[in-house]
Amino acid sequence: MKPIDALVSSLPEGRVLTDPDVIDSYARDRTFVAPGKPLGVVLAASRDDVVTTMRWATEHRVPVVPRGGGSGLAGAAVAGDGSIVLSLARMNAIRELSPADEIAVVEPGVITADLDRAAREHGLMYAPDPSSYEISTIGGNLATNAGGLRCVKYGVTRDSALGLEVVLADGRVIETGRRTMKGVTGYDLTGLFVGSEGTLGVITAATVRLRRAPAAPPATFAAEFGSLRDAGAAVSAIMAAGCQPSLMELIDRASLEALDDWLNIGLEPDTQATLIGQSDATDSQAVVERMERLCLENGASFVAVSTSPQEAEELIRLRRLDYQAKERLGACLVEDVCVPRSLLPDMITAIEETSARHGVKILTVAHAGDGNLHPVFIFDRGMPEPPAEVWAAADEVFKRALELGGTLTGEHGVGLLKRRWLDLESGPVVTEVQQGIKAVFDPLGILNPGKAI
């Protein structure tokens, strides 16, 4: 009997897929990285399915690649030869939603936006909202410690994760964290698993923090600038002034052109950058007017404050469609460096200079309020990987981010694509410690091998 046959017989009928064409569709994420040839796909519908799969994988020494919605941008869910893809998309129940305690208990396949909508029925919200929130899952968000448009005020996924149910590599189940807002018993295993990209265990449930939804729709502004650096300076001024925006997004000229080519947004010839900001404070209109003044003081050529929730939502929708607009131009190497927000103008300038120096098309958007930039390097579709000049440009961008006291990734994770730069940030001692932690949880190295560290 082949090892895969033992797995098929140990799970309910229909849980394991072995058709090569079907498997291939589960072996990829949203990157250009070509997958290997997995043995099969497990469509887990319960924690018991995950336990059975991990026990089988440990017995037969088979690598396991956990997978959520497949919307990742770093290659963390790309499957290798001879592996099993463990899809958690069917585990999509909101097990509990407690308005009194302001928490929810959810399975990993719950769509991020669906949890937010369920919370809002009780006057609450789930704060993390990556641009892919209509297709990304809570499990994938936890695996990469995803951020999103509201993270400037409410933090990233780790800030909303209270506790986890995790299946370890050998099939044992542990529960980490708590249901309370405070708790310091033992090591912070919840924080360790969040952002571990499926290399330490498989998350099968999470207790997450909900927050009170704003009583009224947030106030929104859009500002246009003649230079990207001026836009970055306006962001720094807004944050230094203590405005506490709930959203602060920056879009460069090249990204605006991609959106205009697709959606005909009426882009003005002199606009080099657009800044979109929101406040959901009780005095949101006054806060937005203050941010408007700061934009004008820092070189904005035009600022408009939205007059309706529908108008504001259309602005945010354009920002969320940014990556789809870029995908229309070619293959994308997507990065997400993060720098101290006071140095955002310097990082923006460095990206512009790198693009010109190497002749590489780089389109940049940013969660500008927390210094997280997404430079996207465009190259010809159909190439197995980016050409040399793209890698050279990416090398420069990452090195400059680190020189400014930043990091290689703010929210997408390391996956496969950023491993080439890890030593620049981590160093040998940190690498050794991380490998030691990996060995404790996954001594056989079967959980998402080759990813994250």
Side-chain angles (χ1 to χ4, degrees):
M1 177 184 289
K2 297 179 181 179
I4 190 69
D5 294 331
L7 180 61
V8 171
S9 64
S10 63
L11 288 169
E13 185 176 355
R15 292 285 199 275
V16 183
L17 306 177
T18 56
D19 182 289
D21 292 333
V22 177
I23 291 172
D24 185 70
S25 67
Y26 283 89
R28 305 170 179 272
D29 63 5
R30 210 166 174 180
T31 66
F32 57 84
V33 180
K37 296 186 180 300
L39 298 175
V41 177
V42 173
L43 304 177
S46 68
R47 185 187 73 180
D48 288 346
D49 290 347
V50 177
V51 168
T52 298
T53 301
M54 294 314 306
R55 287 175 176 169
W56 170 87
T58 292
E59 179 183 354
H60 295 281
R61 306 299 197 265
V62 175
V64 176
V65 181
R67 174 186 172 87
S71 60
L73 296 170
V78 174
D81 291 334
S83 64
I84 282 289
V85 177
L86 178 54
S87 172
L88 303 161
R90 290 189 177 185
M91 296 182 63
N92 57 6
I94 298 177
R95 296 182 183 176
E96 178 187 352
L97 199 156
S98 172
D101 292 326
E102 297 184 1
I103 63 170
V105 181
V106 297
E107 293 182 348
V110 171
I111 298 296
T112 312
D114 287 345
L115 174 58
D116 187 46
R117 281 189 281 264
R120 287 181 186 270
E121 293 179 6
H122 302 276
L124 302 169
M125 70 177 186
Y126 179 63
D129 68 330
S131 294
S132 59
Y133 77 140
E134 289 285 4
I135 58 172
S136 65
T137 62
I138 296 295
N141 294 170
L142 289 162
T144 60
N145 193 23
L149 277 63
R150 288 194 293 254
C151 61
V152 61
K153 182 172 182 178
Y154 295 105
V156 292
T157 298
R158 182 178 285 118
D159 298 303
S160 292
L162 298 175
L164 303 173
E165 175 186 88
V166 181
V167 178
L168 300 179
D170 59 6
R172 289 180 296 165
V173 179
I174 64 171
E175 293 187 359
T176 74
R178 61 208 185 276
R179 293 170 59 92
T180 56
M181 292 298 114
K182 297 168 65 178
V184 294
T185 305
Y187 295 127
D188 181 10
L189 296 181
T190 301
L192 180 61
F193 280 108
V194 175
S196 63
E197 301 183 45
T199 62
L200 301 179
V202 181
I203 297 170
T204 51
T207 301
V208 297
R209 178 183 183 183
L210 305 177
R211 300 173 189 266
R212 286 286 155 190
T220 307
F221 78 87
E224 297 179 359
F225 293 85
S227 81
L228 201 53
R229 189 174 181 86
D230 284 348
V235 172
S236 295
I238 287 169
M239 301 308 296
C243 293
Q244 294 187 315
S246 54
L247 180 149
M248 184 62 61
E249 297 293 308
L250 179 63
I251 309 175
D252 77 347
R253 173 74 190 189
S255 300
L256 291 168
E257 288 176 347
L259 285 165
D260 191 51
D261 181 64
W262 180 24
L263 301 171
N264 191 26
I265 63 175
L267 180 62
E268 294 294 333
D270 296 332
T271 299
Q272 296 300 313
T274 292
L275 185 63
I276 302 171
Q278 278 189 342
S279 171
D280 61 7
T282 54
D283 58 343
S284 60
Q285 195 65 35
V287 173
V288 162
E289 289 173 1
R290 187 181 183 192
M291 291 193 283
E292 177 186 18
R293 289 195 299 272
L294 289 167
C295 287
L296 292 170
E297 290 172 7
N298 283 275
S301 57
F302 174 78
V303 185
V305 177
S306 69
T307 57
S308 71
Q310 294 76 20
E311 186 177 66
E313 188 55 40
E314 180 61 23
L315 285 171
I316 305 307
R317 187 182 77 90
L318 288 176
R319 169 59 183 88
R320 293 191 187 278
L321 289 173
D322 169 78
Y323 185 60
Q324 290 95 310
K326 290 177 170 65
E327 285 182 312
R328 298 175 74 251
L329 302 180
C332 301
L333 172 63
V334 184
E335 302 306 346
D336 71 317
V337 296
C338 194
V339 298
R341 61 194 183 197
S342 62
L343 298 176
L344 184 70
D346 299 88
M347 191 66 228
I348 288 171
T349 299
I351 292 172
E352 289 183 312
E353 292 173 349
T354 295
S355 175
R357 184 160 42 248
H358 292 277
V360 173
K361 193 172 186 63
I362 306 176
L363 291 76
T364 303
V365 296
H367 304 308
D370 53 15
N372 188 187
L373 301 99
H374 295 312
V376 177
F377 302 75
I378 307 296
F379 60 98
D380 290 341
R381 206 182 307 278
M383 299 182 71
E385 68 169 68
E389 62 269 21
V390 170
W391 285 125
D395 284 342
E396 280 194 16
V397 168
F398 280 119
K399 288 175 182 177
R400 185 56 182 153
L402 293 174
E403 289 169 357
L404 292 173
T407 181
L408 300 174
T409 174
E411 58 185 2
H412 291 170
V414 173
L416 290 170
L417 290 179
K418 297 187 184 74
R419 291 187 68 209
R420 62 191 285 148
W421 297 289
L422 272 180
D423 287 345
L424 295 176
E425 181 171 344
S426 298
V429 177
V430 170
T431 298
E432 182 179 349
V433 170
Q434 290 185 337
Q435 290 173 343
I437 293 170
K438 167 75 168 172
V440 169
F441 286 93
D442 181 22
L444 299 178
I446 62 172
L447 275 169
N448 218 8
K451 315 289 178 57
I453 65 169

